[in-house]
Amino acid sequence: MQVIFNGHRAKIVSPVDSITLEKLSQAMKFQPLHMKFMPYKQKKIATRFWDGFVKLFNKTTKEFPTGLISKLLEIDPKAIVKPEKPLKTFSMTQKLSCLYEYQIRAVEALINSPYSHSMAELATASGKSVLTAELCLRAENMKVLVTVPTLDLLHQTKDALVHWTGEEVGIYGDKSKEIDKRITVATIQSLASGVKYDNKSKRAVYPDKLKERAEWLRTIDYLIVDECHGAAAESYQILSSLLSNTYIRHGLTATLRREDGNELILHGVLGPCVTKVTPAELISKGFLALPRVELHYLSHGNYNSSLGFAELYKEAVVNNSNRTSYIAEQAKRCLAEARGPVLILFDLLEHGDNLYAAVKDLGRSALVSGSTETKDRKSLVQQVENGEIDIVVASIIWVTGVNIRRLKTLIVAGSGKSGTMTVQRAGRVLRTHPDKEEALIIDICDEERLYLRDQYIARRFFYNEKYPGYVYDIRED
């Protein structure tokens, strides 16, 4: 079997028998999670003209996402796979002397991967910024694009790369379009905005006014996707198509698990995972603070079984004064035990307002949400790091891209069952600091039979998976 590929799509160019085609089709298809658990009658209607599976291999054209070449090689290890143009190579010489052994191991695994597209699963607070800088320096003869999901990460990553590489680094996003540098950091939203993805042709369609952006993206040699667990989204499909000339792609994230079952789409964009650095490894070696995960079980009585999730969440979580008071008491206890600063994370703005009202008099406090200006958020980060703020009540905007080593306690005030979100939230307090002996994570578990109970059970599973031996059940008398 002979295969040629570019950055976006691969194609079999030799004759293939029908049995092999069927094997490839089976290996490159999946059933979305919502289809697996759909009631029988609804599924029967939904699958009237569709079998309920997403197929990434086209048996007619023999095309498939380049990241799934590893799947093809599992079926035919002797297949000859060639790029449409020669791949550029990485320097084999380590550039930064400050790297830890596990960071060197991850870099080497990525640049020596047998696949042009590869991912690394790296524990939160493992130092992805310096690792990214090393990758950029090893790609010394390449034009590099680093994508991030948020504005906070945009500026934070740019500053880190300037520091570690010593090069000028461009920004694409937040009203800037600097495309004349060897290394550019961009938000995925700014790159995909205004572009549509044609599912039939598997190509991005863009208007003439975006031609300059598209032409610039065609000059990129190397793509690094930070927080790559989100790369199954359509915006990344758009970017993948625009980057058809970008043959080398690496993704970095703390968790590759996806609750929607779309891992295969993610792999299609960025390839297989070739290396892992677990929280347990970093904790045992002293690179992460010793965690203490406390699951606090609260019972609020039975709620109306006819309530939908949104209504129940507002009644049992957002506007539950007893629950809010309990969280305030925990924050007060943590400050009294010198476990501050305390970060309290919420999902809905109304919930944040209620929480802030309950804790603002306990110490020097701040409220952070999406409406907080970027410069003000950066200022707050520095104030917390300097020990000038005791309690921060923050929305999920602080779940990624915020590195505050001084934080000692996290209180998860919201709910949810996402493994990605659970791991990302915990990572906010796991960074080491001279004044931190232990990182405390308090997760409020609502023992309602409707929805919320299932959600905390899912979170408990992820805590035990990532931090075995450090999870404690707390039940109030």
Side-chain angles (χ1 to χ4, degrees):
M1 190 187 307
Q2 295 181 6
V3 181
I4 60 171
F5 69 91
N6 60 28
H8 179 50
R9 301 286 289 175
K11 183 175 183 177
I12 301 172
V13 293
S14 61
V16 185
D17 62 82
S18 59
I19 295 175
T20 302
L21 285 177
E22 182 59 27
K23 286 181 180 179
L24 291 168
S25 178
Q26 292 296 321
M28 299 185 199
K29 77 174 188 179
F30 70 96
Q31 187 177 39
L33 201 62
H34 72 276
M35 287 299 298
K36 289 183 181 180
F37 299 104
M38 185 179 289
Y40 174 75
K41 288 185 178 179
Q42 292 182 32
K43 184 180 288 188
K44 192 172 182 180
I45 296 171
T47 58
R48 192 173 178 182
F49 303 106
W50 173 51
D51 66 2
F53 285 85
V54 175
K55 300 178 179 68
L56 301 182
F57 180 81
N58 187 318
K59 288 197 286 187
T60 303
T61 64
K62 296 186 286 188
E63 288 189 2
F64 57 96
T66 297
L68 296 182
I69 285 175
S70 59
K71 296 288 185 182
L72 179 141
L73 290 172
E74 289 175 7
I75 293 170
D76 184 0
K78 295 182 180 180
I80 300 171
V81 181
K82 294 182 178 180
E84 291 179 0
K85 69 176 185 180
L87 300 184
K88 293 188 176 181
T89 58
F90 290 91
S91 168
M92 292 296 107
T93 304
Q94 184 178 333
K95 303 298 182 180
L96 297 173
S97 60
C98 61
L99 296 179
Y100 294 115
E101 177 275 331
Y102 69 86
Q103 292 170 326
I104 297 172
R105 188 175 78 235
V107 169
E108 297 289 346
L110 287 169
I111 67 175
N112 293 318
S113 169
Y115 313 110
S116 63
H117 296 32
S118 302
M119 293 187 289
E121 187 171 13
L122 309 169
T124 303
S126 60
K128 284 191 303 221
S129 295
V130 67
L131 192 150
T132 300
E134 176 72 10
L135 288 171
C136 290
L137 289 171
R138 295 280 194 111
E140 54 193 6
N141 63 340
M142 304 184 208
K143 198 167 183 179
V144 184
L145 173 64
V146 181
T147 67
V148 296
T150 67
L151 291 178
D152 286 337
L153 269 175
L154 177 73
H155 296 285
Q156 179 181 304
T157 303
K158 185 254 177 129
D159 292 344
L161 291 180
V162 169
H163 172 76
W164 291 112
T165 67
E167 296 185 35
E168 292 186 5
V169 176
I171 276 186
Y172 198 99
D174 199 16
K175 301 178 182 179
S176 295
K177 295 182 179 180
E178 301 168 355
I179 59 176
D180 58 339
K181 308 293 191 295
R182 186 181 79 87
I183 304 171
T184 305
V185 183
T187 60
I188 179 63
Q189 296 88 345
S190 63
L191 296 175
S193 66
V195 186
K196 294 182 179 180
Y197 189 70
D198 181 5
N199 250 314
K200 189 173 183 180
S201 66
K202 306 300 181 184
R203 299 289 184 269
V205 180
Y206 55 88
D208 288 342
K209 65 180 180 179
L210 299 180
K211 189 175 181 180
E212 181 184 18
R213 184 201 305 172
E215 289 180 347
W216 165 62
L217 288 172
R218 279 195 286 269
T219 68
I220 300 298
D221 300 303
Y222 178 32
L223 171 68
I224 302 174
V225 179
D226 190 18
E227 307 295 350
C228 70
H229 52 269
E234 185 180 57
S235 55
Y236 287 92
Q237 300 294 315
I238 291 170
L239 181 62
S240 179
S241 177
L242 293 172
L243 291 172
S244 59
N245 281 344
T246 307
Y247 284 52
I248 306 174
R249 305 180 180 188
H250 290 151
L252 311 175
T253 185
T255 174
L256 287 172
R257 187 194 300 272
R258 289 187 61 91
E259 284 70 37
D260 57 9
N262 288 350
E263 286 93 345
L264 204 61
I265 295 178
L266 170 61
H267 293 172
V269 175
L270 292 170
C273 179
V274 296
T275 185
K276 291 186 179 184
V277 177
T278 66
E281 176 186 348
L282 298 188
I283 291 167
S284 67
K285 294 179 178 179
F287 293 117
L288 291 183
L290 195 67
R292 177 181 172 83
V293 181
E294 293 184 357
L295 305 181
H296 288 236
Y297 297 90
L298 301 185
S299 180
H300 315 299
N302 293 320
Y303 284 85
N304 188 338
S305 60
S306 65
L307 291 178
F309 176 71
E311 296 170 297
L312 174 68
Y313 192 81
K314 277 210 166 189
E315 187 172 340
V317 177
V318 175
N319 295 318
N320 187 328
S321 58
N322 290 334
R323 189 180 189 276
T324 300
S325 296
Y326 182 85
I327 291 171
E329 284 299 316
Q330 292 304 311
K332 183 179 179 180
R333 169 179 73 90
C334 290
L335 293 180
E337 295 175 356
R339 287 182 177 273
V342 176
L343 173 62
I344 304 175
L345 288 175
F346 63 88
D347 298 319
L348 299 181
L349 189 56
E350 183 182 356
H351 193 199
D353 290 336
N354 294 341
L355 290 165
Y356 183 66
V359 303
K360 65 181 181 180
D361 295 329
L362 298 179
R364 298 164 295 179
S365 305
L367 175 64
V368 182
S369 68
S371 61
T372 309
E373 293 288 337
T374 302
K375 60 180 179 62
D376 294 330
R377 294 203 297 267
K378 290 180 70 174
S379 176
L380 281 171
V381 168
Q382 196 57 53
Q383 289 178 63
V384 178
E385 196 67 273
N386 293 340
E388 299 167 7
I389 293 180
D390 302 311
I391 302 175
V392 179
V393 180
S395 70
I396 57 174
I397 200 165
W398 263 29
V399 169
T400 59
V402 177
N403 302 329
I404 307 175
R405 293 186 176 277
R406 186 179 286 273
L407 283 173
K408 292 183 181 179
T409 297
L410 165 70
I411 300 179
V412 180
S415 189
K417 62 181 180 180
S418 167
T420 299
M421 185 67 73
T422 299
V423 172
Q424 294 284 358
R425 286 188 296 210
R428 295 315 96 206
V429 293
L430 289 177
R431 286 174 171 80
T432 58
H433 187 276
D435 295 336
K436 187 191 301 184
E437 294 182 6
E438 185 179 65
L440 177 60
I441 300 164
I442 298 175
D443 193 315
I444 308 301
C445 300
D446 302 281
E447 295 205 278
E448 312 304 333
R449 294 187 177 182
L450 293 173
Y451 312 115
L452 300 177
R453 183 181 179 83
D454 291 340
Q455 292 188 352
Y456 87 65
I457 289 173
R459 296 199 304 277
R460 183 173 61 191
F461 169 82
F462 289 115
Y463 285 129
N464 281 304
E465 179 184 59
K466 294 293 183 180
Y467 314 110
Y470 300 104
V471 182
Y472 303 88
D473 292 329
I474 307 296
R475 296 184 184 275
E476 298 298 317
D477 295 330

